[in-house]
Amino acid sequence: MPPRSWDIFCTVIDNYGDIGVAWRLARRLARDHGLEVRLWVDDLSSFARIAPGLDPALERQRLAGIDIRHWPQQDFPADAIPGEAVVEAFGCRLPDSFEAAMAALPAQPAWINLEYLSAEDWTRGCHLLPSPHPRLPLTKHFFFPGFDEHSGGLICEDGLIAARQAWQADEAQQLAYWRSRGLPPPAEGELRVSLFAYENPSAAALLQAWADGPQAVRCLVPAGKVLADVEKVFGRTLVAGDHASLGRLAVHILPLSGQDDYDRLLWGCDFNFVRGEDSLVRAQWAARPMAWHIYPQDDQAHLAKLRAFLDLYCRDLPPEAAAAARALNLCWNWHGDIAAAWRDAAPWLPAWRRHASNWQQALLQPGDLVARLLHFIGDIG
C-alpha cells in the first residue's frame, strides 16, 4: 500500500512553474489515488492565479480535496505532524522543526526531493540516490523527472490522454471553449499559436515575421512576462482582454487561468510556445508541435539542458524536420534569425504533429511520474 498521508512543500520562484508542478502532483495523488495530501506553499497569491477558488488570505483551506497551508518562513506550526511521505519540491529546505518531527516518528517517512526536470545524462546517475541527514536518523532520496525509462517520468493524470483525444475530435467542445475565452473559432487556413514565455528578445521579430508572412496567424498570449515584447510590435500597452492586428497577424491577450483551462488552450492550438517546466510537460500531452523557452541562466547552463531535451525529442523526426525543430528552439532561446528559423520549420509542421503524438505515447510506456514514485517508495519500504 502506498503512504496514505503526504506533505508537499513548495516555494514559489518563477511564479507558476514550481507551484504548477506541485499542484499537479498534489491533485494527482488525491484525485487518482485517493491519498490525503497537505500542500505547504509560501506564496498563496501566485498560487491563486492558477487555482481558481483559492483564497490567498487564508492560512488554511481545502481545495480539490487537498489541505492547503500557507508556509510561513518563521514560526512554522509546531504541532504539524508529518505524513507518511514528505516531498520537498525542487530542493526547498524543510523547516527544522518539521525535520525534527519526522525523526521523532516511530516509522521514518519516505522523504523525497523532487528535482527539476532535465534530460541531461548526469541526472540518470543521481536519480533515486539516497542522502542521509547529517544529524537526524532520516534519509532523503533524489527523484528526477525526465523523458525516458531511466528517470522519474512526467506527471500525467489518469484518463488525460483519452480526454484530450476526445476533445480534439469534438468540434462543439472546442467552439464552446473558444467562446468561453472570448475568441473566435479557427478560420479556414489559420494557424493558431499559444505564446507563453519569459521576456524574450526574439518575440518581436517572430511576431513581425508572422505579420509579414503568407499565412494568417492568430497568436494567443496568456498575460505574463513576454507581454512587454509583444507590446513593442504594436507600440502600445496591452492588457488581458485586448486584441491587436498587424498584417496577417492577430494577437489576443488572455488572462491567466486554471490548469485545466490552460491544458485546453494547448490542445486547441496548432503550435505552442511554452516556458519553464509545468507548461513544457503539458505541451507533450497536447500532442502538438512546440518550442520550449527554458528558464535562462547567466552561465548559459540552460542551453545544455535544452540541447539534451532536443536530442531526445527530435530523435525520431525526419532528419530535415529534426534540424528545423532544433534550430527554431535554439533561436528562441539564444541569438539567431528567428524569422528564418520559423520559415524553415513551418513546412514540417504536419510531420512534426505526427511525431508529437508518437512521442507522447512513448513517454508514458514506462508509467507516469506518480506511478514510478509510488513504486520506488514501495521498494524502499
PDB file of all heavy atoms in Angstrom, residues 98-110:
ATOM      1  N   PHE A  98      10.066  20.704  11.461  1.00  0.00           N
ATOM      2  CA  PHE A  98       9.371  19.635  10.749  1.00  0.00           C
ATOM      3  C   PHE A  98      10.300  18.438  10.564  1.00  0.00           C
ATOM      4  O   PHE A  98       9.882  17.286  10.713  1.00  0.00           O
ATOM      5  CB  PHE A  98       8.860  20.137   9.398  1.00  0.00           C
ATOM      6  CG  PHE A  98       7.814  19.254   8.782  1.00  0.00           C
ATOM      7  CD1 PHE A  98       6.482  19.350   9.159  1.00  0.00           C
ATOM      8  CD2 PHE A  98       8.158  18.319   7.818  1.00  0.00           C
ATOM      9  CE1 PHE A  98       5.515  18.528   8.595  1.00  0.00           C
ATOM     10  CE2 PHE A  98       7.199  17.501   7.241  1.00  0.00           C
ATOM     11  CZ  PHE A  98       5.869  17.600   7.631  1.00  0.00           C
ATOM     12  N   GLU A  99      11.574  18.701  10.257  1.00  0.00           N
ATOM     13  CA  GLU A  99      12.543  17.604  10.156  1.00  0.00           C
ATOM     14  C   GLU A  99      12.665  16.884  11.502  1.00  0.00           C
ATOM     15  O   GLU A  99      12.726  15.644  11.552  1.00  0.00           O
ATOM     16  CB  GLU A  99      13.898  18.134   9.710  1.00  0.00           C
ATOM     17  CG  GLU A  99      13.938  18.580   8.254  1.00  0.00           C
ATOM     18  CD  GLU A  99      15.333  18.978   7.811  1.00  0.00           C
ATOM     19  OE1 GLU A  99      16.262  18.951   8.660  1.00  0.00           O
ATOM     20  OE2 GLU A  99      15.512  19.329   6.630  1.00  0.00           O
ATOM     21  N   ALA A 100      12.705  17.639  12.585  1.00  0.00           N
ATOM     22  CA  ALA A 100      12.797  17.019  13.908  1.00  0.00           C
ATOM     23  C   ALA A 100      11.557  16.182  14.193  1.00  0.00           C
ATOM     24  O   ALA A 100      11.651  15.086  14.772  1.00  0.00           O
ATOM     25  CB  ALA A 100      12.969  18.104  14.971  1.00  0.00           C
ATOM     26  N   ALA A 101      10.389  16.672  13.762  1.00  0.00           N
ATOM     27  CA  ALA A 101       9.155  15.910  13.951  1.00  0.00           C
ATOM     28  C   ALA A 101       9.166  14.631  13.119  1.00  0.00           C
ATOM     29  O   ALA A 101       8.666  13.584  13.559  1.00  0.00           O
ATOM     30  CB  ALA A 101       7.950  16.773  13.591  1.00  0.00           C
ATOM     31  N   MET A 102       9.751  14.688  11.921  1.00  0.00           N
ATOM     32  CA  MET A 102       9.885  13.479  11.095  1.00  0.00           C
ATOM     33  C   MET A 102      10.750  12.434  11.806  1.00  0.00           C
ATOM     34  O   MET A 102      10.421  11.240  11.844  1.00  0.00           O
ATOM     35  CB  MET A 102      10.496  13.834   9.737  1.00  0.00           C
ATOM     36  CG  MET A 102       9.589  14.643   8.819  1.00  0.00           C
ATOM     37  SD  MET A 102      10.478  15.407   7.429  1.00  0.00           S
ATOM     38  CE  MET A 102      11.135  13.966   6.576  1.00  0.00           C
ATOM     39  N   ALA A 103      11.868  12.902  12.367  1.00  0.00           N
ATOM     40  CA  ALA A 103      12.791  11.982  13.035  1.00  0.00           C
ATOM     41  C   ALA A 103      12.179  11.377  14.286  1.00  0.00           C
ATOM     42  O   ALA A 103      12.559  10.268  14.703  1.00  0.00           O
ATOM     43  CB  ALA A 103      14.086  12.722  13.386  1.00  0.00           C
ATOM     44  N   ALA A 104      11.232  12.074  14.900  1.00  0.00           N
ATOM     45  CA  ALA A 104      10.626  11.590  16.152  1.00  0.00           C
ATOM     46  C   ALA A 104       9.533  10.561  15.916  1.00  0.00           C
ATOM     47  O   ALA A 104       9.074   9.924  16.877  1.00  0.00           O
ATOM     48  CB  ALA A 104      10.069  12.773  16.939  1.00  0.00           C
ATOM     49  N   LEU A 105       9.109  10.378  14.677  1.00  0.00           N
ATOM     50  CA  LEU A 105       8.041   9.409  14.406  1.00  0.00           C
ATOM     51  C   LEU A 105       8.534   7.980  14.601  1.00  0.00           C
ATOM     52  O   LEU A 105       9.722   7.680  14.366  1.00  0.00           O
ATOM     53  CB  LEU A 105       7.532   9.591  12.975  1.00  0.00           C
ATOM     54  CG  LEU A 105       6.753  10.875  12.678  1.00  0.00           C
ATOM     55  CD1 LEU A 105       6.449  10.962  11.181  1.00  0.00           C
ATOM     56  CD2 LEU A 105       5.466  10.928  13.488  1.00  0.00           C
ATOM     57  N   PRO A 106       7.655   7.063  14.980  1.00  0.00           N
ATOM     58  CA  PRO A 106       8.076   5.659  15.143  1.00  0.00           C
ATOM     59  C   PRO A 106       8.592   5.042  13.851  1.00  0.00           C
ATOM     60  O   PRO A 106       9.515   4.232  13.876  1.00  0.00           O
ATOM     61  CB  PRO A 106       6.784   4.964  15.614  1.00  0.00           C
ATOM     62  CG  PRO A 106       5.923   6.051  16.160  1.00  0.00           C
ATOM     63  CD  PRO A 106       6.260   7.277  15.394  1.00  0.00           C
ATOM     64  N   ALA A 107       8.013   5.423  12.713  1.00  0.00           N
ATOM     65  CA  ALA A 107       8.463   4.936  11.411  1.00  0.00           C
ATOM     66  C   ALA A 107       8.902   6.135  10.575  1.00  0.00           C
ATOM     67  O   ALA A 107       8.192   7.143  10.497  1.00  0.00           O
ATOM     68  CB  ALA A 107       7.343   4.180  10.694  1.00  0.00           C
ATOM     69  N   GLN A 108      10.072   6.033   9.973  1.00  0.00           N
ATOM     70  CA  GLN A 108      10.613   7.136   9.178  1.00  0.00           C
ATOM     71  C   GLN A 108       9.752   7.379   7.943  1.00  0.00           C
ATOM     72  O   GLN A 108       9.463   6.441   7.191  1.00  0.00           O
ATOM     73  CB  GLN A 108      12.046   6.799   8.758  1.00  0.00           C
ATOM     74  CG  GLN A 108      12.739   7.911   7.987  1.00  0.00           C
ATOM     75  CD  GLN A 108      14.113   7.485   7.512  1.00  0.00           C
ATOM     76  OE1 GLN A 108      14.321   7.281   6.322  1.00  0.00           O
ATOM     77  NE2 GLN A 108      15.047   7.343   8.446  1.00  0.00           N
ATOM     78  N   PRO A 109       9.328   8.621   7.680  1.00  0.00           N
ATOM     79  CA  PRO A 109       8.574   8.888   6.455  1.00  0.00           C
ATOM     80  C   PRO A 109       9.449   8.693   5.213  1.00  0.00           C
ATOM     81  O   PRO A 109      10.682   8.807   5.279  1.00  0.00           O
ATOM     82  CB  PRO A 109       8.166  10.363   6.598  1.00  0.00           C
ATOM     83  CG  PRO A 109       8.374  10.707   8.035  1.00  0.00           C
ATOM     84  CD  PRO A 109       9.474   9.816   8.521  1.00  0.00           C
ATOM     85  N   ALA A 110       8.812   8.384   4.103  1.00  0.00           N
ATOM     86  CA  ALA A 110       9.519   8.415   2.821  1.00  0.00           C
ATOM     87  C   ALA A 110       9.757   9.884   2.483  1.00  0.00           C
ATOM     88  O   ALA A 110       8.808  10.659   2.356  1.00  0.00           O
ATOM     89  CB  ALA A 110       8.683   7.737   1.746  1.00  0.00           C
TER      90      ALA A 110
END
